[in-house]
Amino acid sequence: MLIGQITDMHVKAGGRLAYRRVDTAGMLARCIDHMLGLRQRPDLVLFTGDLVDFGRAEEYAMLRRLLAPLPMPFYLIPGNHDDRDRLREAFPGHACLRQSEPFVQYAIEDWPLRILALDTLVPGEVRGRLCAQRLAWLDAQLSAAPDRPTMVAMHHPPFQTFIGHMDEVGLEGRDEFAEVIGRHRQVERIVCGHLHRPIEARVAGVVASTCPSPAHQVALDLAPDAPSRFVMEPPGFQLHLWNPGTGVVSHTAFIGEFAGPYPFFEADGSLVD
Ligand SMILES: [Fe+2]
Ligand SMILES: [Fe+2]
């Protein structure tokens, strides 16, 4: 089972650029092209929030057009830039978005690896929150299927990244989240967005990660007073391969034109010298 993860697309409409610099719609189109050109296409794609830039209806309409080429099922999770109602209106065929209103939280049961999508959105705020109601849902879902290997997907990561300005707009309720995860044995991985770069940390014994954006990346600066800035480092997405007995193995794919691939070996099998 191969899962594609694309996050933080920040799609804008009408040819507008994010932060007046980034052609996020064009960069998502290139990301989708790249993913569909892989020798192994994902079976499904998870979009882990900040789907559009300002939560506007016209941005969701643009997102819908950009995702239309995907032949595989895809799943949408809100981030702090999203609007739950407009997201639901733009994707009326996605019944899962209404599975646990008012939140956009749902269980994906159609694959050997079960996926629980969490909603960390707080309308009008940049930081995220997992309140008692959302955590109770997670606990109940995990309690209902203790023997099914499970991936948890959400926008705000449940760990400190030490990129100071991003931690300030991090996740409230992460200790309580870790308590819930620690009570269950079947969680294989926690995949997140929000950070616009690949980062890994352990949460209640489980590997948790963030994924690069197909557009702009957050500047790598671990100073506590790091200014809030982005850089146009190579855009990317991730592939999470789940194999029974192995667990989840994750790869980062970079989007762009790169030289190669070149062979390591000569035609006779000797190493190229
Ligand atoms: Fe973002
Ligand atoms: Fe975000």
Side-chain angles (χ1 to χ4, degrees):
M1 175 183 175
L2 190 59
I3 301 164
Q5 184 187 2
I6 301 178
T7 197
D8 292 84
M9 304 91 79
H10 290 256
V11 165
K12 295 189 88 80
R16 296 181 67 177
L17 305 178
Y19 311 104
R20 293 195 295 272
R21 288 180 192 276
V22 189
D23 175 17
T24 50
M27 293 184 88
L28 176 57
R30 285 195 282 285
C31 175
I32 300 285
D33 273 358
H34 188 107
M35 181 178 266
L36 296 182
L38 291 172
R39 283 158 59 86
Q40 295 82 29
R41 280 186 175 182
D43 299 300
L44 69 150
V45 183
L46 287 178
F47 291 94
T48 44
D50 290 354
L51 310 171
V52 303
D53 204 33
F54 273 79
R56 295 174 181 143
E58 64 268 28
E59 293 175 343
Y60 286 110
M62 185 70 188
L63 176 68
R64 204 181 144 88
R65 284 199 292 281
L66 289 164
L67 301 187
L70 290 175
M72 68 283 281
F74 62 88
Y75 301 91
L76 302 162
I77 297 170
N80 49 291
H81 285 253
D82 289 297
D83 180 284
R84 293 182 185 117
D85 291 337
R86 293 196 185 121
L87 169 62
R88 290 187 183 108
E89 285 160 15
F91 293 89
H94 285 225
C96 59
L97 300 175
R98 292 175 177 77
Q99 206 181 91
S100 54
E101 290 189 88
F103 303 111
V104 179
Q105 293 204 148
Y106 49 93
I108 304 168
E109 311 279 9
D110 310 355
W111 311 88
L113 181 67
R114 187 176 189 231
I115 300 169
L116 298 178
L118 296 186
D119 179 341
T120 58
L121 168 62
V122 186
E125 291 188 32
V126 181
R127 61 186 305 129
R129 187 176 303 140
L130 283 174
C131 57
Q133 192 180 348
R134 283 175 268 192
L135 286 169
W137 180 91
L138 173 65
D139 199 23
Q141 288 289 331
L142 288 169
S143 298
D147 299 323
R148 290 197 58 196
T150 300
M151 169 180 273
V152 174
M154 58 208 273
H155 182 66
H156 296 78
F159 56 84
Q160 191 175 1
T161 66
F162 294 93
I163 297 179
H165 65 93
M166 293 303 289
D167 287 339
E168 277 170 26
V169 293
L171 180 68
E172 279 176 29
R174 66 182 187 217
D175 292 344
E176 295 84 352
F177 170 81
E179 271 172 37
V180 172
I181 297 296
R183 281 202 287 276
H184 301 277
R185 308 303 325 158
Q186 77 270 36
V187 180
E188 295 270 352
R189 271 297 298 276
I190 300 161
V191 298
C192 314
H194 192 52
L195 262 293
H196 293 239
R197 31 186 338 106
I199 309 171
E200 297 87 34
R202 205 165 64 163
V203 173
V206 179
V207 175
S209 59
T210 64
C211 174
S213 167
H216 49 295
Q217 314 303 320
V218 169
L220 177 55
D221 187 341
L222 303 181
D225 59 349
S228 174
R229 293 191 296 202
F230 66 90
V231 288
M232 298 313 291
E233 287 178 352
F237 61 92
Q238 292 186 327
L239 294 173
H240 305 291
L241 191 154
W242 183 76
N243 188 53
T246 310
V248 176
V249 177
S250 298
H251 297 262
T252 297
F254 295 103
I255 305 157
E257 297 296 320
F258 305 106
Y262 305 114
F264 286 112
F265 296 97
E266 306 280 13
D268 66 1
S270 64
L271 199 56
V272 172
D273 189 355

